[in-house]
């Protein structure tokens, strides 16, 4: 990996004389032009930017610590773990004005954090990144704090906040320590900071500092279980297949689509992706059929169609059962019906996964 990074850096150095930096898993290379142009905060931000390069695309406009507007071209390095080559070019006068205007606009919109919440596996992080429209966007997850410690996470967070522009997405605030939650809370009230986006589990299950931090987000969006949006399964599965095998033109046979749509998906998007990954490994042709799915996922349900209103009722019951972790007493209370009625509706609507 390091050899491929070095070869790519040497090849680019021969072709271009502008500021250039290369980032690997545990390696940073830069030429003198980059050292003259970039400050320590700029380098830290660009390192984090590389982790989100697929979302951002090949080119970004941003403002440096010095206030200078630049265009950054990001190219992934083949054969290098999370490696990318970055060429940094100062913007022309008109483009620099546009970048500066966007930077000030992002500060004006940063007053209220955005909260994306919902059960695990419902696509909270993906949705949060989709809603983060102020570039550059950097994702900070709880895994970094667990692996590297609170101090390393806090250092990365403070480095990003000092940039004052872009978006910082704090993923999984309900998994952060009280110390880190307090640090983030102190930054929420700042007037000159990046846009903030938080993600977490169901808000009614938050306590203490996590609940208080979530309460600062006046804009909220809920991600609902996959069972409650069953009609989206074919489109979601198609996108997942493209991500799993971008070089192949994979698609689902009608029977496989029917089987996947009929499943309750208690594990939400993660479960669906695991099922599709299993199918991709079994099938070398472009069409994935029912027999390529794991055995427990091959049935499209009992014979006889379910009416649209019954399908809607079924999805609500499944979503409530999932939210109550299969506890039928609690689910019946949430739905405003007796436990006997809930059992009867489950039999009638062919709900067998709980």
């Amino acid at each position: 990996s390091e050899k491929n990074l070095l070869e790519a850096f040497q090849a680019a150095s021969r072709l271009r004389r502008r500021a250039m930096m290369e980032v690997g898993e545990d390696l940073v290379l830069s030429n003198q032009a980059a050292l003259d142009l970039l400050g320590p905060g700029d380098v830290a931000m660009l390192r984090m930017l590389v982790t989100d390069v697929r979302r951002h695309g090949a080119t970004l406009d941003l403002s440096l610590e010095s206030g200078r507007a630049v265009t950054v071209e990001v190219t992934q390095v083949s054969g290098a773990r999370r490696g990318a080559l970055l060429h940094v070019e100062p913007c022309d006068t008109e483009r620099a004005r546009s970048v500066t205007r966007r930077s000030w606009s992002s500060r004006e919109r940063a007053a209220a954090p955005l909260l994306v919440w919902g059960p695990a596996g419902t696509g909270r992080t993906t949705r949060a990144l989709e809603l983060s429209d102020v570039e550059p966007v950097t994702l900070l997850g709880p895994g970094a704090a667990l692996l590297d410690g609170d101090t390393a996470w806090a250092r990365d967070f403070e480095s990003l906040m000092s940039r004052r522009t872009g978006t910082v997405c704090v993923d999984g605030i309900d998994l952060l320590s009280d110390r880190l939650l307090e640090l983030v809370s102190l930054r929420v009230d700042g007037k000159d900071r990046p846009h903030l986006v938080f993600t977490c589990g169901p808000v009614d299950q938050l306590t203490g500092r996590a609940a208080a931090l979530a309460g600062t987000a006046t804009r909220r969006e809920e991600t609902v279980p996959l069972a409650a949006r069953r009609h989206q399964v074919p489109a979601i599965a198609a996108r997942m297949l493209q991500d799993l095998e971008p070089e192949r033109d994979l698609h689902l046979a009608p029977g496989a689509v029917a089987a996947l749509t009929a499943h309750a998906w208690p594990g939400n998007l993660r479960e669906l992706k695991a099922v599709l990954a299993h199918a991709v490994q079994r099938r070398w042709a472009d069409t994935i059929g029912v027999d390529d799915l794991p055995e427990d996922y091959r049935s499209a349900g009992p014979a006889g169609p379910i009416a649209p209103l019954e399908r809607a009722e079924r999805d609500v019951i499944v979503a409530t059962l999932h939210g109550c972790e299969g506890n039928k007493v609690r689910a019946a209370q949430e739905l405003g019906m007796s436990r006997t009625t809930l059992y009867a509706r489950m039999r009638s609507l062919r709900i067998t996964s709980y």
Side-chain angles (χ1 to χ4, degrees), residues 203-236:
V203 291
D204 59 353
Q205 298 177 15
L206 298 179
T207 59
R209 285 188 171 88
L213 182 58
T216 65
T218 57
R219 298 177 299 143
R220 300 185 175 193
E221 180 167 319
E222 179 184 4
T223 56
V224 298
L226 191 56
R229 45 191 174 117
R230 201 184 306 266
H231 62 285
Q232 297 179 359
V233 168
I236 293 173

Side-chain angles (χ1 to χ4, degrees), residues 61 69-71 89-100:
D61 292 331
V70 296
T71 297
E89 185 80 14
C91 295
D92 57 44
T93 304
E94 186 59 34
R95 194 164 184 173
R97 290 197 189 102
S98 175
V99 174
T100 303

Side-chain angles (χ1 to χ4, degrees), residues 49-61 72-76 84-86 135 137:
L49 179 66
V50 169
T51 64
D52 202 23
V53 64
R54 288 184 61 186
R55 178 181 181 274
H56 288 302
T59 306
L60 276 177
D61 292 331
V72 182
E73 294 180 8
V74 185
T75 306
Q76 290 181 304
L85 188 67
L86 298 90
E135 304 283 1
V137 180

Side-chain angles (χ1 to χ4, degrees), residues 39-210:
D42 299 322
V43 174
M45 188 277 300
L46 290 173
R47 289 194 67 177
M48 295 178 186
L49 179 66
V50 169
T51 64
D52 202 23
V53 64
R54 288 184 61 186
R55 178 181 181 274
H56 288 302
T59 306
L60 276 177
D61 292 331
L62 52 89
S63 181
L64 300 178
E65 282 183 327
S66 63
R68 193 170 188 178
V70 296
T71 297
V72 182
E73 294 180 8
V74 185
T75 306
Q76 290 181 304
V77 178
S78 178
R81 291 186 299 274
R82 291 183 288 178
L85 188 67
L86 298 90
H87 291 99
V88 185
E89 185 80 14
C91 295
D92 57 44
T93 304
E94 186 59 34
R95 194 164 184 173
R97 290 197 189 102
S98 175
V99 174
T100 303
R101 284 196 296 268
R102 287 203 300 273
S103 297
W104 280 106
S105 174
S106 71
R107 297 182 198 183
E108 293 169 1
R109 287 188 288 167
L114 167 68
L115 177 69
V116 180
W117 65 277
T122 54
R124 297 177 310 211
T125 304
T126 300
R127 184 56 180 158
L129 292 174
E130 290 173 351
L131 295 173
S132 302
D133 58 349
V134 182
E135 304 283 1
V137 180
T138 306
L139 179 69
L140 274 180
L146 294 173
L147 293 174
D148 302 326
D150 285 1
T151 301
W153 194 98
R155 184 173 58 248
D156 290 341
F157 177 75
E158 286 294 342
S159 176
L160 289 169
M161 296 303 290
S162 68
R163 305 249 344 132
R164 299 179 294 179
T165 60
T167 302
V168 178
C169 180
V170 182
D171 195 23
I173 62 172
D174 47 341
L175 301 177
L176 295 177
S177 68
D178 284 350
R179 176 191 172 197
L180 294 180
L181 290 171
E182 184 176 1
L183 173 65
V184 177
S185 298
L186 291 173
R187 284 292 197 166
V188 167
D189 295 330
K191 295 182 179 179
D192 197 9
R193 60 162 173 77
H195 184 62
L196 283 171
V197 179
F198 305 142
T199 75
C200 67
V203 291
D204 59 353
Q205 298 177 15
L206 298 179
T207 59
R209 285 188 171 88

Side-chain angles (χ1 to χ4, degrees), residues 325-346:
E325 298 180 347
N327 187 314
K328 298 178 181 60
V329 175
R330 284 176 52 202
Q333 292 173 346
E334 291 280 344
L335 294 165
M337 63 177 67
S338 68
R339 186 171 56 176
T340 302
T341 302
L342 175 59
Y343 279 118
R345 295 310 297 155
M346 289 177 65

